[in-house]
């Protein structure tokens, strides 16, 4: 993705700073990127899985997918004010249930399938959980979900397989942020 194609949507100029969503299959590198990015640009990193756990936004455990089910309405209500203010980097492995108006850009991280398999195996994933996540990546499930849920011109795919990709992707997002602030100030 070239920066020339990274159109900057500045519809939500009432915000002091944009909100961006970093999404993708588990293991593609969202947390690694968000942590570095938030340190560099000073925006708030909202790790949705951790916030949901800390604020009791989890319902019963799904035995098939071996993960808790999110109470989406409770989570959305709790985040609404923060999101209206802006300046947030939201990190989650799904994207369709967030209000569309929350985000100025949606970055979907993608990874080479073999690399993802190795990363998830190293994490201890096995069986159905491992297979489902790798298939999710093979079939571009999150990228398609993002394109269905948000205007296509705010959805950007960022390939994230090797360490240099992480640096490059942070650079691309920083450029996008710079454009947003430039266009907001007119
Ligand atoms: N660009 C990269 N090059 C090499 N390794 C990477 C890169 N990005 C992340 N990793 C490694 O991949 C693994 C998974 O990364 P990370 O935990 O950030 O993924 P995640 O998408 O946040 O996963 P989850 O959704 O489960 O929280 C980590 O071991 C991390 O160090």
């Amino acid at each position: 993705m070239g920066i020339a194609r990274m159109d900057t949507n500045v519809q939500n100029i009432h915000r002091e700073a944009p909100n961006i969503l970093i999404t993708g299959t588990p293991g593609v590198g969202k947390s690694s990127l968000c942590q570095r990015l938030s340190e560099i640009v000073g925006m708030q990193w909202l790790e949705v899985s951790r916030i949901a756990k800390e604020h009791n936004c989890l319902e019963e455990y799904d035995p098939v997918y071996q993960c808790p089910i999110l109470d989406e309405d409770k989570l959305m209500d709790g985040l609404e004010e923060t999101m209206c203010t802006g300046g947030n980097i939201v990190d989650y492995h799904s994207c369709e249930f967030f209000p569309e108006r929350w985000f100025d850009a949606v970055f979907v991280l993608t990874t080479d399938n073999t690399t993802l398999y190795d990363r998830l195996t190293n994490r201890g994933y096995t069986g159905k959980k491992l297979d489902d996540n790798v298939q999710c990546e093979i079939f571009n499930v999150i990228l398609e979900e993002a394109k269905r849920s948000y205007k296509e011109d705010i959805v950007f795919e960022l390939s994230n397989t090797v360490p240099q990709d992480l640096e490059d992707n942070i650079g691309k997002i920083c450029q996008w942020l710079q454009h947003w602030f430039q266009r907001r100030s007119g």
Side-chain angles (χ1 to χ4, degrees), residues 22-35 45 47 49 91-94 109-111 115-116 118-120 122-123 125 133 159-167 169:
I22 308 293
T23 187
T25 310
V28 290
K30 298 180 295 296
S31 307
S32 312
L33 183 140
C34 291
Q35 183 172 13
W45 171 24
E47 212 177 347
S49 299
D91 164 3
Y92 196 54
H93 58 259
S94 175
L109 300 193
T110 57
T111 303
T115 306
L116 183 67
D118 292 343
R119 284 184 195 167
L120 295 179
N122 286 340
R123 236 188 223 189
Y125 283 23
N133 281 307
S159 170
N160 188 58
T161 299
V162 294
Q164 186 58 48
D165 293 336
L166 188 62
E167 303 306 319
N169 291 334

Side-chain angles (χ1 to χ4, degrees), residues 23-25 28 93 95 108-113 116 132-148 155 157-159:
T23 187
T25 310
V28 290
H93 58 259
C95 58
V108 184
L109 300 193
T110 57
T111 303
D112 166 76
N113 302 322
L116 183 67
D132 284 353
N133 281 307
V134 173
Q135 287 214 10
C136 177
E137 189 61 9
I138 290 172
F139 293 112
N140 285 323
V141 171
I142 309 297
L143 184 59
E144 294 306 320
E145 184 183 313
K147 287 178 181 171
R148 265 199 324 274
V155 176
E157 179 182 359
L158 297 175
S159 170

Side-chain angles (χ1 to χ4, degrees), residues 73-123:
D73 291 340
K74 186 174 178 190
L75 182 79
M76 298 304 100
D77 287 349
L79 287 175
E80 178 66 27
E81 202 180 324
T82 304
M83 294 303 291
C84 283
T85 306
N88 300 292
I89 303 170
V90 176
D91 164 3
Y92 196 54
H93 58 259
S94 175
C95 58
E96 65 189 352
F97 62 87
F98 298 115
E100 192 181 351
R101 64 189 156 77
W102 274 8
F103 298 109
D104 302 282
V106 175
F107 296 95
V108 184
L109 300 193
T110 57
T111 303
D112 166 76
N113 302 322
T114 312
T115 306
L116 183 67
Y117 182 93
D118 292 343
R119 284 184 195 167
L120 295 179
T121 307
N122 286 340
R123 236 188 223 189

